[in-house]
Amino acid sequence: MLKKKYFIYILESILIGLLVGLLVGLYQLGMRAVINLSNYMFHQIDLKHIILNVLVVILLSILNYLIIYNFKGVNGSGIPLIEKVLSRKLKVNNYQYNDLGLTIVNSYVSSYSLLTLGSEGPSVSLGGKVGRIINKLFNDNDNLDNIALSSGAAFGSAFLSPLSGFFYSLEEGLHYRINFSLIIRGLIISFISFFVTFFINNNHLISFDNVSSLTFLNNLELIILIFILVSTIIFAYLFKKLTLLIRKFFLKYQNNFLIKYRSFLYFIIFLVLGYFIYDYLGNGKNILNIISNPTLDNSLILLISLFLFRLIALAILGNGKVSGGIVLPSMVIGGLIGAINFNIVSRFINLNQSDLTFVILLTMILFFVLINNSPLTGITLFISSLLFISNYSLNFFKELSFYLAIILIIISSLFFRFILKEDNINEDFIRVDSSFN
């Protein structure tokens, strides 16, 4: 009987890995096509194309409203809903999977319209729904572990980092509850889904032209690095507070006409902005390419303006009425913090421009770690990103700066969690929502 039970678990894990990899791979591949189409339409400035694009965005805004109005599970990134299920604050039978296709569609709607949201949140949501489907198929509805492991694998597939997906399951879904069976199942799901996704779509969400270990590590420059990380902690804390404050405001006045139909305003604003600052909208990958290029002289005013705009926009859009994730967009905010600090410090101290990308990547990961309380996920994502960007060179493991970065991530995470007593932002969302129900 025990062998039969484990055989079923392994079979479930294989099927989940295949389905998650297939869905996330096709979804991410489709996302590239949607972004390319959006890029084409917003760069056609003749009257015919502009009128057509305006009509398309208007129709998409109506579609977005109708989908979210009728299918609540599509609202936002979908991750808080998974958190509710895994923490047993929502009955698993109330966690629907019939809106799986609409999750994809409405994410495409947001991305085409250049909203500052990402595809990783919907990817995680797709993974959770796959876990739910497999549970239903095997008459195993109470198996929350499958939902936790499949949603984590979807995260890893979105970033093409299977170990990050496994640790995401551990930190976000299982909340550090682990045993031998869960480790084996988690690794099977994460690696199968990764390979399937990679075969379909090998586009990395985090990519730079190059990255090198820090060339500065004397006492003064170490203090500078710590200062950069401290500023990241401060702004991560402020971002969380601003996001939750806006969420409370929206919930308090949810029946107000402007609040209730605010999504239409989002689409109008970003439609106009798209014709003026296209490269600075969307999930933010374009911004990362711009600010990490040492040959470009990005002014401090530009960097600060982008930082404030992205921070405020994400704090608003991350509170629903549209579909999309906040993980990569929040990383972009972290990257801007690193670029701003590097720009300021380099005015007084002669820093090597080759260090810029490393600092940006570090502050990106740190910002994610802090607002999601996921240090192990962040560290593995940091390592996998370094390996990919450096064409899988192992030289980083010989550098002191690599280990220093990991130590600083861990220390910052512990400070944020136990001194500032900050939880995962998705848990904060659930807490705020429950206070208005």
Side-chain angles (χ1 to χ4, degrees), residues 21-40:
L22 180 64
L23 268 178
V24 173
L26 292 175
Y27 164 62
Q28 294 287 346
L29 185 64
M31 182 63 76
R32 292 172 64 181
V34 169
I35 291 174
N36 287 336
L37 177 60
S38 174
N39 179 63
Y40 171 80

Side-chain angles (χ1 to χ4, degrees), residues 216-332:
F216 63 86
L217 272 180
N218 60 43
N219 291 336
L220 175 61
E221 289 157 336
L222 178 59
I223 292 173
I224 293 170
L225 181 59
I226 293 174
F227 168 75
I228 292 174
L229 296 182
V230 168
S231 67
T232 307
I233 292 174
I234 293 172
F235 284 112
Y237 181 83
L238 293 176
F239 170 75
K240 281 195 67 182
K241 296 307 177 186
L242 176 62
T243 304
L244 296 175
L245 182 64
I246 292 173
R247 194 176 193 87
K248 291 176 183 177
F249 176 80
F250 285 159
L251 288 170
K252 183 177 180 179
Y253 299 101
Q254 57 187 304
N255 294 321
N256 177 277
F257 180 84
L258 290 177
I259 301 301
K260 187 175 182 179
Y261 299 102
R262 65 184 185 271
S263 63
F264 292 102
L265 186 60
Y266 298 160
F267 282 90
I268 293 172
I269 292 173
F270 280 85
L271 171 63
V272 175
L273 292 176
Y275 285 101
F276 296 95
I277 54 170
Y278 179 91
D279 288 339
Y280 302 134
L281 304 178
N283 63 10
K285 283 193 68 175
N286 287 337
I287 292 178
L288 294 177
N289 292 330
I290 293 171
I291 66 175
S292 63
N293 190 337
T295 63
L296 295 179
D297 185 20
N298 295 305
S299 70
L300 185 59
I301 293 177
L302 173 63
L303 293 174
I304 293 175
S305 299
L306 281 175
F307 165 72
L308 292 175
F309 167 70
R310 299 286 306 196
L311 186 143
I312 295 171
L314 187 59
I316 294 173
L317 295 176
N319 277 303
K321 295 296 183 182
V322 287
S323 299
I326 68 171
V327 174
L328 182 59
S330 67
M331 288 182 179
V332 173

Side-chain angles (χ1 to χ4, degrees), residues 328-379:
L328 182 59
S330 67
M331 288 182 179
V332 173
I333 294 173
L336 283 165
I337 293 172
I340 290 169
N341 280 282
F342 194 92
N343 187 297
I344 293 173
V345 172
S346 63
R347 294 168 182 264
F348 304 98
I349 299 175
N350 187 25
L351 298 179
N352 192 328
Q353 287 298 308
S354 64
D355 295 330
L356 176 60
T357 304
F358 189 92
V359 170
I360 289 174
L361 179 61
L362 177 56
T363 51
M364 283 175 63
I365 298 299
L366 180 60
F367 202 89
F368 161 78
V369 166
L370 295 178
I371 67 172
N372 290 279
N373 192 22
S374 305
L376 297 179
T377 305
I379 289 171

